[in-house]
Amino acid sequence: MAAPEDNDVFPNLEGDDGNDDDWESYYSSEDGSSSSSDEVAEEDMSLQTSCSTTMDAFPDELLLEVLGRIDDALTLLDAVPLVCKRWHRLSRDPGAWNSATVSIVGCSYFGDGDIVDEHENHEEILEAARILLHAPALRRVSFDWHGDSPGPFSCPYDEETITSALVRSRAEVREIVFPQPDIFEGSGGLGYPDDPLEDMSPEDLSLLADFLWRNRSHVRYLNLGHMLRAGTPLLRALGQCENLEELHLMLPDPDYFWYEGQLRGRRLPKLRRLTLDSWYNVYGYRAFFKDLVGCVAQSVRHIRCEESCESSKDVLSQLSRCVELRSLHCGMEGVASARTLTKLRSLTLVIHYSDKDQQQVLSAAERALRACGELPALQELRRGWRF
């Protein structure tokens, strides 16, 4: 069959008069070979309506599941409510904020002209304050004040903005990370802690403790740093965190901590993981350790002792009370207590030694490891070293 002429396919393409009416007539023909612009528009509208209907058909629970995977709090605060009235309503549901986090930073202003004499981070401070004020719930709030920065509330804007937001916030927070100290190498290789809480006033420490108090029924994960400096307000809040599942404690210098039995008789029935850490001698914490372990003895499954807590007799002597313990990380001195933990499955023993007493330490470690053979449920035994 001969191929059709161009003029048969496109009529009047090379016509004498070039009349546009022929084009309009061809594209509006009744043989269904093409559609008018009005019909195309109708189809586009039909498609949009179909997509809209599909989204509207999603139940609130499914949309909250989707929104709950957004970790950017500003997106939930500023963008999601503008989509439609329904999304605006759902953006106020705590379920939509299941993954949202906020980091609170400080201003870089030192004020002495030696390092930084300009105000920075004000935009980040304002954004964090807006989130604290308007979010119905948050997965995590982190106080990211750094040891090498001027610290919290280093300028009037920082202090006024964050203080007001913390006091007025009604967000339900599941994880709180308080400021963490750093170790810096001093002369002779000796390390010393640089604590951002060191220069905070008692009023500012109480402000942070009050933030924990208002979230005591919501918080599941808590990293206190050196917040024990806050004393009674912090301990009172900690003793009320009955849904707490994981606790990290870094014990400050005993000279800045006074314990008066605030945890005695309290219970943390859901706590499963406990980490104890300190760069200081913890000789002054005996009563605190006793009451803390009393809070968690029936529930805790995993305990990790770091630095000076690894070999502290005041800490290790309390371990035998943790009858449900499954894993333990401690110094070699903890073997005596570990032998009574019949449900223990994983044990890591950290050995401290130097060259001159290496053989003595290794011999003691061997005896300790042999003693661990008496643990009926033990499945994993590890050895760690600390110089």
Side-chain angles (χ1 to χ4, degrees):
M1 179 181 296
E5 298 288 342
D6 287 342
N7 289 346
D8 294 334
V9 179
F10 301 107
N12 294 325
L13 183 59
E14 298 179 356
D16 294 334
D17 57 1
N19 192 342
D20 291 338
D21 291 341
D22 293 323
W23 283 89
E24 181 178 353
S25 174
Y26 174 73
Y27 281 103
S28 62
S29 61
E30 298 180 359
D31 61 0
S33 58
S34 40
S35 304
S36 68
S37 58
D38 291 340
E39 290 173 340
V40 172
E42 290 178 1
E43 289 181 3
D44 289 344
M45 182 64 70
S46 176
L47 181 60
Q48 293 176 9
T49 303
S50 175
C51 292
S52 176
T53 302
T54 302
M55 286 297 294
D56 289 340
F58 290 166
D60 285 355
E61 293 79 6
L62 182 56
L63 285 177
L64 286 174
E65 180 68 23
V66 174
L67 296 176
R69 296 176 181 273
I70 300 175
D71 59 3
D72 182 20
L74 288 177
T75 297
L76 289 166
L77 187 63
D78 296 333
V80 170
L82 301 181
V83 174
C84 63
K85 291 183 178 179
R86 186 187 182 198
W87 283 39
H88 182 277
R89 172 175 58 83
L90 292 177
S91 70
R92 306 306 303 158
D93 191 296
W97 295 75
N98 278 339
S99 301
T101 63
V102 60
S103 173
I104 300 174
V105 298
C107 178
S108 61
Y109 180 69
F110 277 84
D112 55 10
D114 292 338
I115 304 178
V116 177
D117 57 3
E118 295 182 358
H119 294 271
E120 297 180 355
N121 300 333
H122 281 196
E123 183 177 351
E124 291 84 351
I125 292 170
L126 180 59
E127 290 176 349
R130 290 179 56 234
I131 293 169
L132 288 172
L133 286 172
H134 298 291
L138 289 165
R139 180 177 68 84
R140 172 174 292 201
V141 172
S142 300
F143 294 85
D144 292 329
W145 294 316
H146 303 292
D148 57 350
S149 71
F153 310 144
S154 57
C155 78
Y157 180 85
D158 182 5
E159 181 172 12
E160 180 180 356
T161 303
I162 295 300
T163 297
S164 175
L166 289 173
V167 170
R168 297 161 57 195
S169 174
R170 293 298 177 264
E172 300 173 0
V173 183
R174 302 200 315 275
E175 301 176 8
I176 301 177
V177 179
F178 285 110
Q180 302 296 302
D182 280 328
I183 279 287
F184 288 90
E185 294 297 327
S187 60
L190 298 177
Y192 63 94
D194 191 1
D195 187 358
L197 299 180
E198 186 173 355
D199 297 325
M200 288 191 72
S201 67
E203 293 76 18
D204 289 338
L205 289 172
S206 295
L207 173 69
L208 299 184
D210 182 65
F211 183 73
L212 174 60
W213 171 259
R214 284 183 280 113
N215 284 284
R216 64 191 183 279
S217 62
H218 309 298
V219 66
R220 303 292 191 271
Y221 173 96
L222 183 59
N223 193 329
L224 285 176
H226 280 170
M227 272 298 294
L228 288 181
R229 284 174 172 268
T232 296
L234 188 283
L235 292 169
R236 180 174 65 98
L238 177 60
Q240 297 285 339
C241 296
E242 297 185 351
N243 291 312
L244 188 64
E245 299 173 359
E246 185 168 349
L247 173 63
H248 295 256
L249 275 172
M250 184 169 284
L251 307 175
D253 187 334
D255 292 340
Y256 296 96
F257 177 66
W258 296 269
Y259 181 67
E260 299 176 347
Q262 293 93 335
L263 294 181
R264 190 169 303 139
R266 304 303 308 176
R267 293 290 180 269
L268 301 176
K270 296 185 178 180
L271 193 127
R272 297 294 183 265
R273 295 182 178 273
L274 174 64
T275 298
L276 298 172
D277 192 359
S278 182
W279 293 320
Y280 300 94
N281 190 317
V282 293
Y283 62 86
Y285 283 91
R286 179 178 301 177
F288 171 75
F289 288 138
K290 181 179 179 181
D291 291 346
L292 176 65
V293 172
C295 291
V296 305
Q298 303 301 316
S299 62
V300 67
R301 301 291 194 271
H302 311 278
I303 292 181
R304 185 178 183 90
C305 301
E306 297 281 4
E307 298 294 342
S308 62
C309 291
E310 289 174 347
S311 56
S312 169
K313 294 182 179 179
D314 292 340
V315 174
L316 301 178
S317 63
Q318 300 296 326
L319 296 180
S320 60
R321 301 167 59 192
C322 303
V323 295
E324 298 295 329
L325 205 60
R326 302 296 195 272
S327 72
L328 174 63
H329 179 287
C330 67
M332 184 184 61
E333 298 84 352
V335 171
S337 296
R339 292 177 61 181
T340 66
L341 302 174
T342 58
K343 297 183 179 181
L344 194 66
R345 299 174 184 173
S346 175
L347 175 61
T348 300
L349 296 175
V350 179
I351 301 172
H352 298 251
Y353 76 97
S354 59
D355 290 338
K356 61 182 180 180
D357 62 356
Q358 180 177 355
Q359 188 58 47
Q360 179 182 353
V361 172
L362 289 175
S363 298
E366 182 180 359
R367 293 192 299 271
L369 294 175
R370 290 182 183 276
C372 293
E374 302 177 12
L375 298 172
L378 192 66
Q379 301 175 1
E380 183 179 47
L381 181 60
R382 295 181 178 180
R383 180 184 61 184
W385 299 94
R386 189 178 297 279
F387 295 87

